[in-house]
Amino acid sequence: MLQRSYTNRIAYLGRRKIKNMLLLFGSTCALVAGILIYTKSRKNWPLVFHEILYEIKYNVLGSKGLIIDRLEARYNKTDMPRKTGKIAIVTGGSRGIGATVVKMLLQCDMEVIIACRAPAAGEKAIREIRKSGVNDGIAKVYELDNADLNSVRRFADCIKRDYSRIDVLVNNAGIMFTPYAETKDGFEQQWAINYLSHFLLTSLLLPLLKNGGSPSECARVVNVSSCAHLVGIINFENINYKEQFITSAAYAQSKLAQVMFTKSLQQLFTEKQLHIKTYAVHPGIVNTDLFNDTLLSKYFKWLLPLIFKTPTEGATPIVYAAVSKSVEERGGIYISNCKESPVNPLVSDASILDRLFELSLKQVRLNDFFQEL
Ligand SMILES: NC(=O)c1ccc[n+]([C@@H]2O[C@H](COP(=O)([O-])OP(=O)(O)OC[C@H]3O[C@@H](n4cnc5c(N)ncnc54)[C@H](OP(=O)(O)O)[C@@H]3O)[C@@H](O)[C@H]2O)c1
Ligand SMILES: *[C@@H]1O[C@H](CO)[C@@H](O)[C@H](O)[C@H]1NC(C)=O
Ligand SMILES: *[C@@H]1O[C@H](CO)[C@@H](O)[C@H](O)[C@H]1NC(C)=O
Ligand SMILES: CC(=O)N[C@H]1CO[C@H](CO)[C@@H](O)[C@@H]1O
């Protein structure tokens, strides 16, 4: 008993030490960032304060994420069962983590639909995958611009015209830390691309997902979210963050919104006896063009391959959620490094969930999430 509490205490002190080191590192980065931000915008002090606060949070979160990716590396693996004849859609499948997910699903012998803005980029990705020696599966390309809700509707119509079922939907397309811009539909672009477009897409494809699932093998929806969701809030008063724009806060908000429904939708699917399972995934901190706009990438580009995951390592937990047998019975979970991991506590606040659900329906002009069924 005494022995145990002693080891617990040591572990506790160890954790505290790591926490303090992270805080110190975070604050130093934040100070530098703070000075940079201050010199850029000398006007709105509360805003600058919030920006610095987010900077601290992200630095702590990012360093913690990198350490966790190392510590948990041994869990970061997946089985890749043969899924001959099964059909998957991967949004943003033409480059980055998405392209690697496409490759790995093809290795499972699936039919994989790359949904991307520029079909030529999708075709190129397929040629590269084939050149790398992957000959299994069938690859297709369909046009989808996640920044345009009408494009989402057109995409869903084309898929419904050509397919009667879908087995896996991977909502992966995303942007990060982009400057303020509104989409055609009037939404801040990270909100629209990362979250809202996928909300609509998932709803429109429900009939096909329903057909894909069976009692012995459910269809799956996989949301590629991020550990950034942990520092997010849903800023209902100003979803676009207009005029008080903090791009990292807007990113965290979009990623939190993606995670929010994983659990509650799973409950609804189960209640409605739909054989669909839902998962949210943090791929890890992965070396892709997503970081192009960040200071880290501008000044320390050489460092990234050393400390970040490779796209294959980042795609691994996504493929795990998409096809692994080991999660078949565990829908509704948030996965990091192929392990169930804790989510932002806001996710269990039913009033926020309801409010977000209502708002999202209104923003995409749907009466009912299940109206297509
Ligand atoms: N890298 C990381 O460390 C990390 C960490 C946590 C979460 N994530 C998440 O992982 C996902 C993939 O990121 P990544 O690292 O692979 O980034 P990436 O290399 O920048 O790729 C982003 C993908 O999203 C697509 N996309 C962007 N805007 C789009 C739009 N309007 N319509 C359709 N597609 C669009 C891009 O297609 P185009 O070629 O047309 O631009 C590209 O295929 C994102 O959701 C991201 O938030 C990444
Ligand atoms: C994924 O996120 C979309 C919104 O981006 C949401 O509509 C959908 O319910 C989410 N699915 C899961 C599995 O969480
Ligand atoms: C990111 O930067 C690299 C060069 O550093 C460039 O080749 C690539 O096209 C950029 N990607 C995007 C999406 O801006
Ligand atoms: C850090 C890390 O992610 N490590 C492992 C993740 O999984 C792949 C296999 O899919 C391993 O090769 C990595 O070493």
Side-chain angles (χ1 to χ4, degrees), residues 92-98 117 144-147 172-175 193 224-226 251 255 282-286 288-291:
S94 57
R95 60 185 178 86
I97 301 173
R117 277 190 283 191
L144 168 64
D145 180 356
N146 288 73
N172 162 79
I175 53 172
I193 294 173
V224 182
S225 178
S226 168
Y251 179 72
K255 290 289 157 184
H282 166 57
I285 316 273
V286 187
T288 65
D289 291 352
L290 197 69
F291 288 87

